[in-house]
Amino acid sequence: MASYSQEEEKHYREYGPGCEIGSFPKDFVYGPDDPDQDISLIFAPDQKPKILLMGLRRSGKSSIQKVVFHKMTPNETLFLESTNKIESENISNSSFVQFKILDFPGQIDFFEPSFDSEKIFGGHGALVFVIDAQDDYMEALNRLHQTVLRAHKVNPHLRFEVFIHKVDGLSDDTKIETQRDIHQRANDELVDAGMEQIHLSFYLTSIYDHSIFEAFSKVVQKLIPQLPTLENLLNLFISNSGIEKAFLFDVLSKIYIATDSSAVDMQSYELCCEMIDVVIDISDIYGKDEGAQVPFDKESSSIIKLNNATVLYLREVSRYLALVCILREESFDKQGLIDYNFLCFRKAIQDVFDVRKVQLQQLTSSLSSPILQNSHTNGPTT
């Protein structure tokens, strides 16, 4: 990566093989739920990973989904009715963030013979079990243990994530003690059952702060096979640009799908999330309106300078992805170098997109069995 002239950047932007840039309108949503869909269609086999939201009734599963993926405010979730049937939703907003999320009613046992466990728990994905930290969680731990053992028996490759939820009403000491107690009890039960090879990941979450977004970011990242490539690209970018921290965000949900190898500071992540909110709101009000109601274009960027000599710098990577960087003010004096390096980074992301598309096309073709295609013929074809 090297420095560049303004003419070179303009030529690259106009003729270089970058992503198709744009962004979503303010009222954009991923798509409506389809809860009346037949269960055989909900669990139809495809290449998308699944995230299964499970837990006891009123533990906060539906609130999590609505806040993270539907921009519902936390206070609005107080009026949500309890889920009484499976709610399925496809998240397909970029080449990297593509999965199906399924919200399961807490009062139904999906291991009963009337349900097909293979369809529910089979395939690539993660099971997110939500525990209400403000309630007596002994029953929830018992359900967690039963669910993990049965699901692991059906699909040994399924990932297990535990959200210790609603911690906003607990003191810091109580949060730590609750997490330690749940972690200890859950793992002890697995050891007693002879299943110590099962790994559980634990997160303290609340819909009233950014902890739920960070936790979901970690879950989604484990489902992205290109994650090591993205992290390496971010490491190269920040090391050649004098940047302290960089996040690759799914702008709509504020999930970061990748970051560099340095540790994630919660305060830095919250700053980046708030910057995205500011950019979206201002772009929606003052952005170009060319009939498509797209507030962003390929020139969109934002710079926020804080009073502690820190700069937040946002550049849009694709229609749904944005790169948010944190750097010192003196490093931003070389903005030309940073911008050129960003163009190289964006082109590399596009190359990974293209590889991903080819892989999906090959997988789709392999799912179309020649035996099935010729099953209605009377004889061999020539």
Side-chain angles (χ1 to χ4, degrees), residues 111-126:
F111 293 97
E112 293 180 353
S114 57
F115 295 97
D116 190 339
S117 297
E118 291 287 345
K119 287 185 178 180
I120 296 177
F121 299 101
H124 179 51

Side-chain angles (χ1 to χ4, degrees), residues 1-287:
M1 296 183 179
S3 60
Y4 75 112
S5 65
Q6 292 183 349
E7 292 183 358
E8 288 172 340
E9 180 185 6
K10 181 178 180 181
H11 183 273
Y12 188 95
R13 286 176 171 172
E14 292 180 356
Y15 303 105
C19 305
E20 180 180 355
I21 305 301
S23 188
F24 50 87
K26 182 66 176 178
D27 56 354
F28 178 87
V29 293
Y30 287 105
D33 292 343
D34 193 8
D36 296 325
Q37 189 176 11
D38 183 77
I39 189 169
S40 62
L41 299 179
I42 291 178
F43 296 105
D46 57 26
Q47 62 269 27
K48 285 185 181 179
K50 296 181 293 189
I51 294 181
L52 313 177
L53 276 177
M54 292 188 166
L56 296 183
R57 186 175 177 271
R58 308 301 298 178
S59 60
K61 304 182 298 297
S62 299
S63 299
I64 291 173
Q65 182 184 358
K66 296 299 183 183
V67 169
V68 175
F69 297 106
H70 292 274
K71 298 183 290 185
M72 181 178 288
T73 63
N75 290 332
E76 289 176 317
T77 64
L78 298 174
F79 305 100
L80 288 176
E81 296 182 0
S82 181
T83 304
N84 54 21
K85 52 188 172 181
I86 300 174
E87 294 187 358
S88 173
E89 181 178 8
N90 283 306
I91 308 296
S92 302
N93 53 322
S94 77
S95 294
F96 297 123
V97 184
Q98 293 195 7
F99 56 89
K100 178 182 291 185
I101 186 167
L102 300 153
D103 184 7
F104 288 82
Q107 66 272 22
I108 299 178
D109 183 4
F110 290 95
F111 293 97
E112 293 180 353
S114 57
F115 295 97
D116 190 339
S117 297
E118 291 287 345
K119 287 185 178 180
I120 296 177
F121 299 101
H124 179 51
L127 191 156
V128 177
F129 196 92
V130 183
I131 297 178
D132 185 351
Q134 298 187 20
D135 198 1
D136 182 7
Y137 48 76
M138 289 303 131
E139 182 183 356
L141 283 173
N142 184 49
R143 176 72 70 87
L144 169 65
H145 181 69
Q146 296 175 1
T147 302
V148 168
L149 290 182
R150 295 176 180 178
H152 179 76
K153 184 177 180 181
V154 174
N155 182 6
H157 302 290
L158 193 65
R159 298 179 181 273
F160 297 100
E161 319 285 344
V162 181
F163 285 5
I164 304 172
H165 196 48
K166 301 183 183 179
V167 297
D168 48 277
L170 306 179
S171 65
D172 291 341
D173 291 340
T174 306
K175 290 179 185 179
I176 296 173
E177 177 60 27
T178 301
Q179 183 178 24
R180 186 204 61 78
D181 187 42
I182 291 177
H183 182 280
Q184 185 70 37
R185 291 176 182 272
N187 283 291
D188 285 349
E189 289 182 351
L190 290 178
V191 172
D192 293 341
M195 302 298 289
E196 58 271 9
Q197 74 274 16
I198 299 178
H199 176 71
L200 304 178
S201 299
F202 297 85
Y203 308 89
L204 293 172
T205 61
S206 171
I207 60 174
Y208 290 93
D209 56 31
H210 292 89
S211 60
I212 189 61
F213 296 96
E214 185 182 21
F216 237 104
S217 297
K218 300 291 181 60
V219 173
V220 171
Q221 287 171 24
K222 295 177 183 179
L223 304 179
I224 300 176
Q226 299 85 2
L227 181 62
T229 302
L230 298 177
E231 290 181 347
N232 288 335
L233 289 174
L234 286 167
N235 285 333
L236 285 171
F237 174 68
I238 67 170
S239 63
N240 288 279
S241 306
I243 292 173
E244 295 183 353
K245 189 68 182 172
F247 295 91
L248 187 61
F249 273 95
D250 167 34
V251 183
L252 182 59
S253 65
K254 292 183 290 187
I255 287 176
Y256 69 93
I257 66 172
T259 185
D260 58 88
S261 57
S262 62
V264 176
D265 175 54
M266 189 63 180
Q267 185 177 9
S268 299
Y269 173 66
E270 291 176 354
L271 281 173
C272 294
C273 288
E274 291 171 1
M275 182 184 192
I276 290 174
D277 289 335
V278 171
V279 171
I280 291 175
D281 291 341
I282 293 179
S283 297
D284 187 61
I285 297 172
Y286 299 105

Side-chain angles (χ1 to χ4, degrees), residues 279-321:
V279 171
I280 291 175
D281 291 341
I282 293 179
S283 297
D284 187 61
I285 297 172
Y286 299 105
K288 299 177 183 178
D289 185 5
E290 300 175 353
Q293 296 182 344
V294 176
F296 284 4
D297 58 27
K298 64 181 181 180
E299 302 296 333
S300 292
S301 65
S302 178
I303 303 169
I304 297 179
K305 295 185 178 181
L306 307 180
N307 57 8
N308 61 352
T310 299
V311 176
L312 303 179
Y313 189 34
L314 180 146
R315 291 292 298 266
E316 189 167 4
V317 176
S318 70
R319 181 176 174 85
Y320 302 104
L321 297 179

